[in-house]
Amino acid sequence: PPRSTLFPYTTLFRSKCVEIDKKIERYRNILRSIRDEATVDGAEKLIADLEAQKAALHLERSPKVDP
């Protein structure tokens, strides 16, 4: 496809990844100051969920390969 049709998709993909990275960093910063086990567990789950979302974005973007 022409480059002009890929630009909006690429920009959207990057902005989603940046947004997810910022959230992950925010939760990791929170973890540094929290000692409550339930809160730590919740933050770790949120981080894992965000990392899974980001991985899914990368899979969506990967070129399809026919067997």
Side-chain angles (χ1 to χ4, degrees):
R3 188 169 192 237
S4 62
T5 60
L6 293 176
F7 178 73
Y9 177 76
T10 303
T11 301
L12 178 63
F13 172 79
R14 286 182 185 154
S15 67
K16 284 184 179 183
C17 286
V18 168
E19 181 182 320
I20 290 171
D21 285 339
K22 287 179 181 179
K23 288 179 181 180
I24 290 171
E25 185 60 30
R26 184 170 53 238
Y27 290 126
R28 285 188 176 144
N29 287 336
I30 290 170
L31 282 174
R32 290 185 190 107
S33 63
I34 299 214
R35 302 290 174 238
D36 175 65
E37 189 174 329
T39 305
V40 169
D41 289 345
E44 287 175 343
K45 183 182 180 324
L46 288 170
I47 290 170
D49 290 346
L50 290 166
E51 288 173 339
Q53 287 176 28
K54 188 172 177 182
L57 284 174
H58 286 278
L59 289 176
E60 288 175 12
R61 190 163 185 241
S62 297
K64 305 287 187 237
V65 177
D66 292 329

